[in-house]
């Protein structure tokens, strides 16, 4: 359980207290990697000094995932460490977590109060002012963050959440010098986004996977998603060896790193392992130059696909083609649609329809799509005669 300890002195208007600052890190260091249910991601405990009797104390849900609980305090000093006041505040924490259990929750409640109280009782509280000072002097928030990430990964693995969202794409972030991983990071982000999207992979609540790449997994875990629509996975890469390698080796090294990250999140979030491994096999077999399918449609005798290859420079435009094939005659053809930046492709290629004599490609209907088409000087709809496309291999 993660804790956030806040303070409010109604007389002095101060909002920081030395004892509570130590208590915050003390609680998190000991409890942040332990699982107490998905109901509350964090318990926010606000100590109100000089509480006015007629003012109601808060006990409610905050941000849909926090338990916000206010308790009364009587600190004599906000700047001096006090063993007794620290211990009193620690006892108030036990009260606060019990009050949190009274908060009504719309979803099924799994807040494990008995285990949390048991874990609180098992913590060794400083026995002297010297121990309290030592605790203050050894605050290590990097270590606490590491424990938080490891605790979440363990919880996701052991207490899986239901899959309720389709994965839409991936992004790659690294902690190296700017440009070190380019163009390979761009190429693999495009490749993995396309293939994982086509695999219809589902997730427990997020639509994007962020790959955090660093020297080690420990360094990579400095990143943690603050929003529920994406989630990080973690990869390590020997950047010194990477920098001194040729292009082919660089591409292979980064892919090996990303494979590890993809398998890691597939493990702890119970992603469809067969689909994940199938995507990995496709990249291993076809490399980064393989043609990717943007849209695909079959009707009667005709199969139509919008396809493209990934350019080796993210600043370069990508050439998109329409591929047609006839099942009965074996004829096939390919015609150029347009050259655009891949970032805008989802707005330009919204839907694909096969009609009697023509194939129609229509863009999305939105303000952003309209702006994109105007910026790229492209029409809202492309139309190609089936007979003409099948007669030619490629039209420029």
């Amino acid at each position: 359980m993660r804790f956030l300890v806040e303070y409010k002195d109604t007389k002095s208007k101060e909002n920081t207290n030395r004892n509570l600052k130590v208590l915050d890190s003390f609680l998190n260091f000991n409890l942040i990697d332990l699982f107490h249910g998905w109901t509350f991601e964090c318990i926010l405990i606000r100590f109100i000094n000089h509480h006015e009797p007629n003012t109601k104390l808060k006990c409610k849900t905050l941000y849909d995932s926090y338990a916000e609980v206010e308790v009364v305090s009587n600190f004599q000093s906000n700047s001096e460490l006090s063993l007794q006041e620290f211990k009193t505040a620690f006892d108030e924490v036990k009260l606060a977590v019990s009050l949190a259990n009274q908060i009504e929750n719309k979803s099924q409640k799994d807040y494990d109060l008995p285990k949390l109280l048991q874990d609180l009782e098992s913590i060794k509280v400083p026995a002297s002012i010297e121990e309290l000072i030592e605790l203050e002097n050894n605050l290590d928030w990097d270590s606490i963050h590491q424990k938080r990430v490891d605790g979440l990964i363990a919880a996701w693995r052991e207490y899986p959440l239901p899959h309720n969202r389709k994965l839409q794409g991936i992004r790659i972030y690294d902690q190296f010098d700017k440009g070190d991983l380019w163009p390979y990071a761009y190429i693999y982000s495009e490749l993995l986004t396309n293939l994982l999207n086509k695999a219809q992979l589902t997730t427990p609540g997020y639509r994007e996977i962020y790959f955090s790449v660093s020297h080690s997994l420990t360094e990579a875990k400095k990143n943690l998603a603050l929003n529920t629509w994406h989630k990080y996975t973690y990869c390590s890469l020997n950047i010194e060896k990477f920098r001194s390698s040729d292009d082919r080796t660089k591409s292979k090294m980064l892919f090996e790193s990303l494979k590890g990250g993809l398998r890691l999140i597939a493990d702890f979030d119970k992603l469809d392992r067969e689909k994940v491994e199938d995507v990995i096999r496709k990249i291993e077999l076809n490399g980064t130059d393989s043609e990717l399918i943007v849209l695909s449609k079959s009707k009667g005798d005709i199969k139509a696909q919008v396809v493209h290859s990934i350019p080796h420079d993210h600043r370069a435009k990508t050439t998109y083609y329409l591929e047609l094939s006839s099942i009965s005659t074996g004829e096939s053809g390919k015609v150029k649609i347009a050259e655009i930046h891949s970032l805008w492709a989802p707005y330009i290629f919204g839907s694909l329809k096969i009609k009697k004599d023509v194939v129609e490609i229509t863009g999305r209907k939105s303000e952003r799509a309209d702006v994109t088409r105007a910026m790229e000087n492209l029409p809202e709809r492309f139309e190609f005669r089936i007979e003409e496309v099948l007669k030619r291999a490629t039209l420029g």
Side-chain angles (χ1 to χ4, degrees):
M1 178 63 70
R2 183 164 76 96
F3 283 85
L4 183 58
V5 179
E6 294 186 352
Y7 180 66
K8 180 180 179 181
D9 192 315
T10 61
K11 285 188 176 180
S12 69
K13 306 303 179 184
E14 292 181 81
N15 57 13
T16 59
N17 180 281
R18 190 175 173 187
N19 288 287
L20 293 184
K21 184 177 180 181
V22 179
L23 179 63
D24 186 296
S25 62
F26 178 72
L27 291 170
N28 283 301
F29 182 81
N30 286 282
L31 298 169
I32 202 166
D33 58 338
L34 302 181
F35 182 74
H36 302 97
W38 294 118
T39 301
F40 301 125
E41 184 271 327
C42 176
I43 297 181
L44 188 163
I45 306 173
R46 186 177 298 110
F47 286 78
I48 308 295
N49 224 37
H50 304 114
H51 172 253
E52 298 176 4
N54 295 329
T55 305
K56 187 176 180 180
L57 295 169
K58 292 179 181 178
C59 185
K60 63 185 182 70
T61 300
L62 182 67
Y63 309 131
D64 294 325
S65 61
Y66 283 34
E68 181 184 14
V69 182
E70 292 184 339
V71 294
V72 176
S73 63
N74 188 30
F75 290 101
Q76 300 304 306
S77 171
N78 292 326
S79 60
E80 298 295 326
L81 277 184
S82 165
L83 181 63
Q84 184 55 51
E85 291 191 341
F86 180 88
K87 287 183 175 181
T88 300
F90 183 72
D91 288 337
E92 288 296 315
V93 169
K94 298 173 188 176
L95 170 64
V97 300
S98 297
L99 290 172
N101 197 44
Q102 301 174 14
I103 298 173
E104 293 185 6
N105 195 281
K106 294 180 181 179
S107 59
Q108 187 175 354
K109 199 169 185 178
D110 68 345
Y111 177 51
D112 196 343
L113 175 61
K115 184 177 185 300
L116 180 51
L117 287 173
Q118 181 181 352
D119 289 335
L120 278 166
E121 291 290 349
S122 69
I123 300 174
K124 182 180 179 298
V125 179
S128 66
I129 190 65
E130 289 76 20
E131 288 185 12
L132 188 59
I133 293 172
E134 183 180 2
L135 185 63
E136 181 184 44
N137 291 337
N138 289 283
L139 298 181
D140 185 358
W141 280 103
D142 286 341
S143 176
I144 291 171
H145 177 82
Q146 178 75 29
K147 292 182 72 170
R148 182 186 179 193
V149 174
D150 289 339
L152 283 171
I153 289 175
W156 291 324
R157 183 182 286 119
E158 190 172 351
Y159 306 97
L161 293 164
H163 285 210
N164 56 9
R165 183 158 292 184
K166 179 177 173 287
L167 183 69
Q168 294 181 4
I170 72 101
R171 303 186 194 189
I172 298 171
Y173 294 97
D174 66 87
Q175 298 174 25
F176 307 124
D177 292 341
K178 185 178 179 180
D180 269 348
L181 301 189
W182 291 87
Y184 315 101
Y186 161 72
I187 293 170
Y188 282 114
S189 65
E190 290 283 306
L191 192 56
L192 285 168
T193 290
N194 181 278
L195 295 178
L196 290 170
N197 185 278
K198 292 295 182 293
Q200 299 286 309
L201 207 63
T202 59
T203 74
Y206 51 89
R207 60 178 182 266
E208 290 191 358
I209 296 175
Y210 286 9
F211 287 73
S212 177
V213 188
S214 191
H215 304 274
S216 65
L217 290 181
T218 298
E219 287 292 316
K221 288 176 182 176
K222 287 184 177 179
N223 286 321
L224 184 65
L226 300 179
N227 299 291
T228 57
W229 56 268
H230 67 278
K231 184 177 284 189
Y232 275 97
T233 188
Y234 306 101
C235 320
S236 60
L237 179 69
N238 185 334
I239 192 62
E240 298 305 327
K241 182 179 178 182
F242 180 89
R243 287 171 178 151
S244 62
S245 298
D246 57 37
D247 289 347
R248 182 177 179 182
T249 304
K250 284 181 177 179
S251 179
K252 183 178 179 180
M253 285 182 67
L254 181 57
F255 181 53
E256 289 298 316
S257 174
L258 298 174
K259 275 199 302 186
L262 184 55
R263 284 171 173 157
L264 174 64
I265 197 169
D267 171 50
F268 66 67
D269 262 347
K270 312 301 180 186
L271 306 184
D272 190 318
R273 196 59 183 258
E274 187 175 336
K275 290 181 178 180
V276 167
E277 292 300 328
D278 185 54
V279 166
I280 289 173
R281 281 193 295 271
K282 285 180 179 177
I283 297 175
E284 289 176 336
L285 182 64
N286 301 318
T288 59
D289 294 325
S290 57
E291 209 165 49
L292 302 180
I293 300 170
V294 179
L295 294 172
S296 181
K297 190 85 172 182
S298 294
K299 183 178 180 181
D301 184 50
I302 300 298
K303 180 178 181 180
Q305 294 185 145
V306 175
V307 300
H308 75 103
S309 296
I310 304 170
H312 282 209
D313 187 341
H314 68 286
R315 296 164 297 185
K317 290 189 174 184
T318 304
T319 303
Y320 288 82
Y321 297 93
L322 172 66
E323 285 186 347
L324 295 183
S325 60
S326 168
I327 299 171
S328 60
T329 66
E331 289 181 294
S332 64
K334 185 175 181 179
V335 62
K336 177 180 173 181
I337 304 170
E339 290 185 7
I340 63 171
H341 291 287
S342 60
L343 181 65
W344 311 126
Y347 305 104
I348 305 301
F349 307 117
S351 65
L352 178 63
K353 293 181 181 180
I354 302 174
K355 298 184 177 180
K356 183 179 179 180
D357 299 316
V358 300
V359 170
E360 182 181 276
I361 303 167
T362 307
R364 286 184 184 177
K365 296 186 182 299
S366 68
E367 184 177 346
R368 179 173 289 186
D370 291 340
V371 170
T372 300
R373 283 189 287 269
M375 184 171 59
E376 295 286 333
N377 194 27
L378 293 171
E380 183 178 345
R381 181 171 61 91
F382 296 92
E383 189 174 280
F384 299 91
R385 292 190 61 80
I386 294 174
E387 184 179 1
E388 291 181 1
V389 176
L390 289 176
K391 284 181 179 179
R392 308 182 187 184
T394 303
L395 294 177

